[in-house]
Amino acid sequence: MKFEDYRIADGIKTSISKLGFKKPTDIQYKAIPPILKGEDVLAIAQTGTGKTAAFAIPILHILQERKIKGRADGIKCLVMAPTHELALQIDSVFKSLANHTRITTFCIHGGVDQEPQIAQLNEGVDILIATPGRMFDLVSQGALLLKRVEILILDEADHMLDLGFIKDINDLMRHLPRKRQTLFFSATINEKIKNLAYSLVTNAIRIQISPKDPVAKNIEHAVATVKMDDKRFFLEYLIKDHPEKKILIFVRTKVRAERVKKALERVDISTDTIHSDKLQKDRELIMQNFRSGDLKILIATDVSARGIDIPNVEYVVNYDLPESSEQYVHRVGRTGRANQRGQAVSFCSDEEQELLKEIEENLGKPIMRIEISKNDYQSTVNFTEDKTHNWKTIMKEAEEGEEIRKKKRKKRRPKK
Ligand code: ADP
Ligand code: MG
């Protein structure tokens, strides 16, 4: 089936063809008809398989059909996403599909001035894409009304329904009309969250594509055993072995992100970092540079693990293992988007072996091993262009710095 054969507004078809989409992906093929019919949908499909358009296309059509000309009477569809970057990305997909419709879309997230957001909301918005924090600020100030919302979407739904966000989502439900269409999309979901999701909807249709292997099929992923202190040598080697490639590196903490950046600078590899301590405008600039390819190597925490769609990321490196199998699936899923192929490698230290075992158990299959011979291991460690070899001193300094900062923070905290 081609997009031309769908019963959706011509303007949307024009935009689809401008995006270069010829036929729907599996999840689009399965999800678009029930969404058009107004059903609640829980859709699970691997990373990079076009879930955004799978909800954006039918929603735009529904709202375009329902819209009374020239009347701006409140938000009709609310899309919730976990991070600023993802919310902005979803908004840009909606915008490019809505080009030839009368539907307006807008994105609100924290970290920026709220006045322009309020002004835009007053002008009238049909589809709002939001992260929870700023949305509730605006709701509590009375600047944002949600009582006309007809469709609610949770992207990265399992994450949105998990501990960190569930209170927000429950609060949100109280502001929304009871009668509405609810859609959940993600690449991963566990039993507990699935039950929670079902409790929030009426008669949801469940669509699941290739559930046996949660990692997308065009991603080749493997794990190598590397000592904690040697990880940076292997990273240096890998980057220098793949010049010109776009590589995304995941680390466990913000401090480690900065540390790895420094270590790479010492061997003349220029990189940047993205994490929640950075200013919003810097985060956006870094993403833009990575998207355009001006920046080739990006070091990220898990804030960038979910949903982010950057073209041509050829390699994902788990410098540190992720905390869960879900995080693993999402991190490696930043490569191998749409029809592209991708590679991912995880560095696993002795301390992380237990974690690896747990991840593999939850994935339901072992991850391929890269066996490194003693000789190769040693020559990789010797390969480094960091002639000072005082990496351990740097690590120690960084850790001490962190301790001092912690103490200062404690001092500053007022006594109860
Ligand atoms: P997911 O949310 O499933 O991880 P995205 O919605 O971010 O995936 O889409 C991944 C990539 O696939 C995007 O770059 C998008 O432009 C592309 N894409 C989506 N639908 C199609 C299609 N029908 N044909 C070709 N490419 C598509
Ligand atoms: Mg997505």
Side-chain angles (χ1 to χ4, degrees):
M1 187 151 173
K2 291 185 180 149
F3 278 119
E4 289 151 36
D5 306 327
Y6 277 78
R7 289 181 59 180
I8 47 177
D10 286 341
I12 302 173
K13 287 186 185 172
T14 309
S15 301
I16 293 174
S17 91
K18 276 194 185 151
L19 283 171
F21 300 174
K22 294 199 173 60
K23 57 181 184 45
T25 62
D26 288 351
I27 187 64
Q28 290 162 2
Y29 180 75
K30 290 206 174 154
I32 291 173
I35 297 176
L36 285 174
K37 272 196 237 155
E39 318 232 34
D40 289 344
V41 168
L42 167 65
I44 306 299
Q46 293 167 329
T47 55
T49 55
K51 291 188 286 296
T52 322
F55 58 77
I57 291 171
I59 282 165
L60 283 169
H61 176 76
I62 293 172
L63 297 186
Q64 169 82 349
E65 293 281 288
R66 285 183 200 162
K67 186 156 182 167
I68 300 159
K69 209 172 176 181
R71 206 167 110 191
D73 55 359
I75 289 150
K76 292 289 193 297
C77 169
L78 175 65
V79 185
M80 300 297 295
T83 61
H84 305 169
E85 286 75 21
L86 183 54
L88 286 164
Q89 181 184 300
I90 296 169
D91 186 38
S92 87
V93 173
F94 266 104
K95 284 202 163 59
S96 52
L97 286 166
N99 250 336
H100 303 278
T101 68
R102 284 180 278 118
I103 307 299
T104 53
T105 84
F106 187 55
C107 177
I108 54 168
H109 56 77
V112 291
D113 224 10
Q114 67 170 37
E115 294 311 319
Q117 298 182 339
I118 294 173
Q120 183 62 43
L121 288 170
N122 287 337
E123 294 237 325
V125 168
D126 298 310
I127 300 175
L128 183 71
I129 298 102
T131 56
R134 177 59 55 93
M135 193 195 68
F136 281 112
D137 284 353
L138 296 179
V139 168
S140 66
Q141 293 167 38
L144 175 57
L145 285 178
L146 298 172
K147 55 180 199 293
R148 289 190 189 275
V149 169
E150 295 164 10
I151 308 169
L152 168 70
I153 302 159
L154 302 189
D155 194 22
E156 304 299 338
D158 60 329
H159 191 42
M160 300 304 289
L161 295 173
D162 207 354
L163 292 177
F165 283 117
I166 185 62
K167 192 185 164 296
D168 285 346
I169 299 298
N170 277 332
D171 287 349
L172 168 67
M173 298 296 183
R174 269 187 260 127
H175 287 93
L176 297 179
R178 278 179 150 261
K179 195 174 162 303
R180 58 160 195 270
Q181 185 176 13
T182 308
L183 312 175
F184 300 114
F185 277 79
S186 187
T188 52
I189 196 151
N190 64 32
E191 268 322 294
K192 195 173 131 232
I193 304 274
K194 203 185 293 167
N195 293 335
L196 179 57
Y198 280 130
S199 75
L200 297 172
V201 293
T202 43
N203 303 324
I205 293 193
R206 180 170 158 211
I207 302 167
Q208 187 150 4
I209 309 234
S210 44
K212 282 201 193 79
D213 192 352
V215 177
K217 61 180 183 308
N218 28 356
I219 304 167
E220 209 176 275
H221 60 117
V223 56
T225 301
V226 178
K227 286 202 183 77
M228 194 57 100
D229 285 347
D230 295 338
K231 285 185 176 185
R232 64 152 194 142
F233 300 127
F234 282 81
L235 182 61
E236 176 188 350
Y237 182 85
L238 186 140
I239 293 170
K240 289 186 174 163
D241 200 33
H242 296 92
E244 294 306 304
K245 285 209 170 166
K246 225 189 234 186
I247 303 178
L248 179 57
I249 301 154
F250 284 104
V251 293
R252 212 181 51 244
T253 63
K254 303 168 208 176
V255 175
R256 274 177 80 74
E258 294 304 329
R259 237 184 255 171
V260 174
K261 178 178 185 221
K262 280 223 173 70
L264 290 176
E265 262 166 19
R266 290 154 58 84
V267 292
D268 297 325
I269 296 171
S270 103
T271 69
D272 220 326
T273 59
I274 187 159
H275 50 68
S276 58
D277 269 0
K278 294 226 149 168
L279 291 176
Q280 183 56 28
K281 67 175 191 341
D282 293 338
R283 276 168 71 157
E284 276 169 42
L285 190 66
I286 289 162
M287 285 313 266
Q288 203 181 313
N289 288 342
F290 195 50
R291 217 172 265 281
S292 71
D294 287 346
L295 173 68
K296 286 272 189 292
I297 319 276
L298 179 61
I299 306 163
T301 58
D302 280 317
V303 291
S304 311
R306 288 219 177 218
I308 298 301
D309 183 54
I310 304 259
N312 311 320
V313 173
E314 282 151 294
Y315 237 111
V316 166
V317 179
N318 282 323
Y319 191 83
D320 299 316
L321 281 198
E323 298 284 320
S324 67
S325 61
E326 282 89 6
Q327 275 318 76
Y328 182 86
V329 168
H330 289 281
R331 283 181 178 190
V332 301
R334 294 318 101 210
T335 183
R337 314 285 302 162
N339 303 320
Q340 295 186 322
R341 301 198 64 78
Q343 278 189 297
V345 63
S346 304
F347 295 162
C348 180
S349 66
D350 295 339
E351 299 89 321
E352 293 169 305
Q353 293 295 339
E354 270 304 304
L355 192 53
L356 176 64
K357 226 166 86 190
E358 218 177 283
I359 290 172
E360 287 183 308
E361 265 164 30
N362 291 328
L363 284 179
K365 50 161 55 180
I367 302 168
M368 198 171 77
R369 294 294 190 278
I370 301 174
E371 301 298 342
I372 309 170
S373 70
K374 263 200 172 137
N375 268 348
D376 286 351
Y377 194 104
Q378 202 49 47
S379 58
T380 306
V381 172
N382 294 341
F383 167 84
T384 183
E385 285 169 27
D386 181 357
K387 297 303 176 220
T388 56
H389 268 283
N390 60 353
W391 168 243
K392 282 189 183 155
T393 323
I394 300 172
M395 295 287 268
K396 207 155 170 267
E397 277 166 14
E399 261 149 32
E400 279 163 8
E402 208 175 327
E403 280 303 306
I404 292 167
R405 276 200 300 280
K406 262 190 209 156
K407 277 185 194 146
K408 275 190 185 157
R409 271 205 296 273
K410 259 193 196 149
K411 262 193 191 159
R412 254 186 271 136
R413 225 172 276 156
K415 285 197 185 96
K416 277 181 190 160

